[in-house]
Amino acid sequence: MTSATTFALIRHGQTDWNAAMRIQGLSDIPLNDTGRAQAADAVGHLARYDWDFIVSSTLSRAAETADLIADGLGLTVTRRIPQIVERNYGPAEGLSAGPELDALRFDGGPTGNGGFLGAEPEADVAARGLQALRELAAAHPGARIIVVSHGTLIRLTLMSALSEFVGTITNAALTVVSLDDTGWSLEVLNGEVLTPTDDLDNDLDALDAAPAR
């Protein structure tokens, strides 16, 4: 049996569109100052464990979050991976809740929230996210990898990997999942430890007590 490959899945820090609750998707919206502070906070959580390297989405909000984390941890961002960009929401991008967005909605989909006319199907998002993680695991078996990506991409990828519902992924929160010969295991979700491991046991109290920012 090969060693487990462990992933810290980090959603990028906040952007102005996040703060305004506008759909971003492939729109390349940069971090705001709150997002940069969230990336700095993520360094503290990640520093409790050992990591080998960092990869990120090609979109600037994820790339900058990864760069800030890398600087804080003394690690290298080795790749920008197009497969882990956010879902393409098509005509829904830039919209917030209201009649214009509601007119684009339709029922169904893996999350039960349906989809948007002209948007990338949820199943396609999950498939490319899962493929990217599997390719990283195949290339770096047993490694511990920080992956900086996007909320919907992470959520749909986890749902596909685990075959269970996963809620909203918080900006810059720590989510840890591992892959070995037996399959996927979710250990931490949005900073909440779900499946303690030897590496995590000593840090549960510290993680729970860490202040929100």
Side-chain angles (χ1 to χ4, degrees), residues 5-195:
T5 303
T6 301
F7 299 97
L9 304 179
I10 306 292
R11 181 187 176 190
H12 60 82
Q14 188 190 81
T15 71
D16 286 346
W17 279 24
N18 288 150
M21 300 187 71
R22 297 172 65 184
I23 294 178
Q24 289 182 127
L26 290 184
S27 300
D28 201 2
I29 309 303
L31 294 182
N32 60 23
D33 288 342
T34 296
R36 294 182 183 97
Q38 290 171 334
D41 285 346
V43 169
H45 296 303
L46 288 160
R48 299 186 179 105
Y49 318 113
D50 293 326
W51 304 101
D52 295 314
F53 59 90
I54 304 177
V55 299
S56 84
S57 155
T58 58
L59 293 174
S60 63
R61 58 189 182 270
E64 184 178 2
T65 300
D67 289 345
L68 291 168
I69 290 172
D71 287 346
L73 294 177
L75 293 175
T76 300
V77 179
T78 61
R79 289 179 60 195
R80 311 290 188 191
I81 302 178
Q83 285 171 287
I84 59 171
V85 297
E86 183 57 295
R87 181 186 184 189
N88 182 353
Y89 281 94
E93 295 196 12
L95 300 181
S96 54
E100 188 176 2
L101 184 60
D102 289 342
L104 295 171
R105 290 186 184 275
F106 60 85
D107 294 335
T111 64
N113 293 330
F116 298 95
L117 296 174
E120 181 182 9
E122 290 181 321
D124 291 357
V125 180
R128 62 178 169 83
L130 198 57
Q131 180 183 358
L133 295 187
R134 289 190 178 278
E135 288 175 355
L136 285 168
H140 308 280
R144 298 178 60 84
I145 307 166
I146 298 172
V147 179
V148 184
S149 184
H150 305 268
T152 298
L153 182 286
I154 293 171
R155 181 186 184 206
L156 293 175
T157 298
L158 287 175
M159 288 178 63
S160 179
L162 302 167
S163 298
E164 62 184 58
F165 180 80
V166 175
T168 300
I169 302 298
T170 306
N171 287 110
L174 177 62
T175 293
V176 179
V177 65
S178 62
L179 174 64
D180 62 18
D181 291 343
T182 66
W184 294 92
S185 299
L186 182 62
E187 298 166 9
V188 181
L189 179 63
N190 285 331
E192 179 183 354
V193 177
L194 305 177
T195 308

